Amino acid sequence: MKKVLMIFDPLDLGLSIEHQLYLTYRHLEPISEIYVKLLENDSMFLQHLNKQIKVMLPISHVLSSTRKNFQDQRNWSYTLQSHSIPLHIRKAYYNFPSLVRLYWKSINESIAESHIHFDEAVSLSSGIPSFYLRDKVQADKKIYYFPIRQFKKAVAPVIGRLRQQDLIYTASQSMYRELAKNNHQIKYYADPYYKESLYRVLKLDEATRYHPQYLSVLSANNLKYRRHIEGFIFMIKYFVKQRIAFKWYLYGDHHNETMIRNELKNHQLEDYVVFIGSIANVFRYLEQADLYVEWEPQSALNFEAETMKKPIIYMKNEPPYYNQQILKLIKKYK
């Protein structure tokens, strides 16, 4: 019989219980023996599980002491202590993934490994569940879910340790297009709960809320070529000349940012463009944007913009200043 381990964070702030159960059912098979490992115990969540499912000790039960008889391993004993996962770490799944990596590094040695060998093991949350699967589980096949769009830096610790037989599932077409190039281990799946989770996650952004009284434009800070930067500057100048009240938000980091900033400064346009940096939870900005502009698929949010029903303008690889129709379309949304 196939042994399958499912790893949950029942209090995942981005995933409802119904969403997690939906993901679970994707891996249920009649001939499977299902084991469940929770980040922390949650009685309400456990009520939704089939009684035949074997519930293991939660990940948060850390080793506090060990007694080992090296003559006979049957006499080894361990003492486990419940360890609560801080709320800010759960928020950091989506806001500051690097903080979760540091937290996992600090508790890694105290987390007990699973001594059952599984045919398949699945983590349904990013963050600690995925690190637990990566470092503490023995399985022929490991499957990692990223139900919400995340960027390369957040996914790198998992991608860097994928074996040939392992998989990553993402419900974001934007994330899939960015990561799937020459990587057959990235799979897209259609998730009916994606919009719900998107709005759950954007509410976790604790940055200062802004309520613009002007046209708000959002795009990735990934202008590759000089002609595209010139086209971008041309559009900013055009908006100013047309007396359109606007702010253009650029998210992410790119090596051409210095060049863009210098061009803006040379034309005295710094006040119209806001660099918000490489933030993981950019969805609050997308929610409040009037327009989403995409230069190229790298670090794009086109699928999320479609999900939120935002007007989208695709620049592709042509210099924006060649296409006056694009400028007219943007002006229409002022």
Side-chain angles (χ1 to χ4, degrees), residues 289-314:
D290 298 298
L291 280 174
Y292 171 72
V293 176
E294 181 173 307
W295 314 105
E296 61 166 66
Q298 185 77 10
S299 300
L301 287 171
N302 55 323
F303 180 67
E304 287 66 32
E306 289 174 0
T307 302
M308 290 184 177
K309 299 182 178 179
K310 296 292 180 178
I312 303 173
I313 295 176
Y314 296 99

Side-chain angles (χ1 to χ4, degrees), residues 12-37:
D12 190 316
L13 299 173
L15 307 178
S16 64
I17 290 178
E18 293 79 7
H19 192 173
Q20 294 192 60
L21 292 173
Y22 165 78
L23 297 178
T24 304
Y25 294 144
R26 284 173 48 85
H27 294 274
L28 294 185
E29 300 175 12
I31 59 171
S32 295
E33 185 179 6
I34 305 296
Y35 292 76
V36 162
K37 188 88 168 176

Side-chain angles (χ1 to χ4, degrees), residues 19-79:
H19 192 173
Q20 294 192 60
L21 292 173
Y22 165 78
L23 297 178
T24 304
Y25 294 144
R26 284 173 48 85
H27 294 274
L28 294 185
E29 300 175 12
I31 59 171
S32 295
E33 185 179 6
I34 305 296
Y35 292 76
V36 162
K37 188 88 168 176
L38 302 183
L39 182 55
E40 287 188 71
N41 268 336
D42 185 81
S43 56
M44 183 178 296
F45 182 82
L46 292 174
Q47 291 175 6
H48 293 273
L49 298 179
N50 189 304
K51 293 182 179 179
Q52 295 179 344
I53 291 177
K54 297 176 174 62
V55 180
M56 306 176 72
L57 283 173
I59 297 172
S60 59
H61 277 50
V62 299
L63 290 171
S64 58
S65 64
T66 61
R67 293 179 60 188
K68 297 182 178 181
N69 181 345
F70 291 98
Q71 306 272 327
D72 188 352
Q73 290 190 6
R74 290 174 297 180
N75 293 332
W76 289 18
S77 63
Y78 304 88
T79 302

Side-chain angles (χ1 to χ4, degrees), residues 76-329:
W76 289 18
S77 63
Y78 304 88
T79 302
L80 296 173
Q81 182 179 358
S82 180
H83 177 79
S84 182
I85 307 299
L87 178 63
H88 72 275
I89 294 298
R90 285 192 162 94
K91 287 185 177 180
Y93 286 0
Y94 303 104
N95 291 347
F96 306 102
S98 58
L99 179 60
V100 182
R101 291 201 296 274
L102 290 174
Y103 182 80
W104 174 253
K105 187 176 180 180
S106 71
I107 66 171
N108 189 2
E109 291 186 5
S110 64
I111 300 295
E113 292 186 19
S114 171
H115 294 290
I116 301 176
H117 189 94
F118 297 96
D119 297 292
E120 184 174 290
V122 185
S123 68
L124 298 180
S125 296
S126 55
I128 295 176
S130 63
F131 293 141
Y132 178 81
L133 173 59
R134 185 193 69 181
D135 297 341
K136 301 291 184 176
V137 176
Q138 302 174 48
D140 293 335
K141 183 177 184 179
K142 296 183 180 182
I143 297 175
Y144 302 85
Y145 273 85
F146 289 88
I148 296 296
R149 206 274 192 248
Q150 294 193 21
F151 299 98
K152 276 188 175 181
K153 288 182 180 179
V155 187
V158 170
I159 290 183
R161 297 276 291 277
L162 282 182
R163 304 167 303 172
Q164 188 174 3
Q165 66 270 32
D166 298 337
L167 290 175
I168 287 179
Y169 278 109
T170 174
S172 167
Q173 290 183 15
S174 304
M175 183 174 171
Y176 172 75
R177 281 192 286 266
E178 180 179 14
L179 299 178
K181 294 178 181 178
N182 303 318
N183 193 336
H184 65 279
Q185 293 171 281
I186 312 295
K187 303 292 182 183
Y188 167 76
Y189 73 99
D191 193 330
Y193 291 91
Y194 192 74
K195 185 175 182 179
E196 172 195 292
S197 287
L198 198 58
Y199 279 92
R200 278 174 169 264
V201 170
L202 69 85
K203 291 176 182 177
L204 301 176
D205 173 21
E206 296 178 346
T208 303
R209 307 287 183 249
Y210 67 97
H211 302 282
Q213 303 299 317
Y214 43 74
L215 175 75
S216 176
V217 183
L218 180 70
S219 62
N221 182 11
N222 59 5
L223 290 162
K224 276 188 175 183
Y225 305 109
R226 176 77 190 192
R227 68 181 187 275
H228 293 150
I229 295 174
E230 291 174 352
F232 174 64
I233 298 299
F234 178 88
M235 281 195 291
I236 301 300
K237 290 171 67 176
Y238 178 85
F239 286 173
V240 174
K241 185 177 181 181
Q242 296 298 316
R243 297 184 179 181
I244 298 174
F246 75 98
K247 288 282 187 182
W248 196 305
Y249 295 86
L250 293 176
Y251 68 90
D253 297 317
H254 195 270
H255 62 272
N256 280 338
E257 181 175 322
T258 301
M259 187 185 300
I260 297 172
R261 287 181 178 273
N262 288 338
E263 288 294 326
L264 290 169
K265 185 176 181 180
N266 291 339
H267 293 87
Q268 297 181 331
L269 300 172
E270 309 104 299
D271 293 340
Y272 300 99
V273 179
V274 181
F275 294 85
I276 59 178
S278 185
I279 60 175
N281 191 351
V282 70
F283 309 119
R284 173 67 70 180
Y285 287 91
L286 180 59
E287 180 202 29
Q288 296 181 344
D290 298 298
L291 280 174
Y292 171 72
V293 176
E294 181 173 307
W295 314 105
E296 61 166 66
Q298 185 77 10
S299 300
L301 287 171
N302 55 323
F303 180 67
E304 287 66 32
E306 289 174 0
T307 302
M308 290 184 177
K309 299 182 178 179
K310 296 292 180 178
I312 303 173
I313 295 176
Y314 296 99
M315 296 299 190
K316 297 185 178 179
N317 290 322
E318 62 184 63
Y321 56 86
Y322 285 164
N323 197 334
Q324 293 296 326
Q325 292 181 347
I326 291 176
L327 300 175
K328 291 177 182 178
L329 181 59

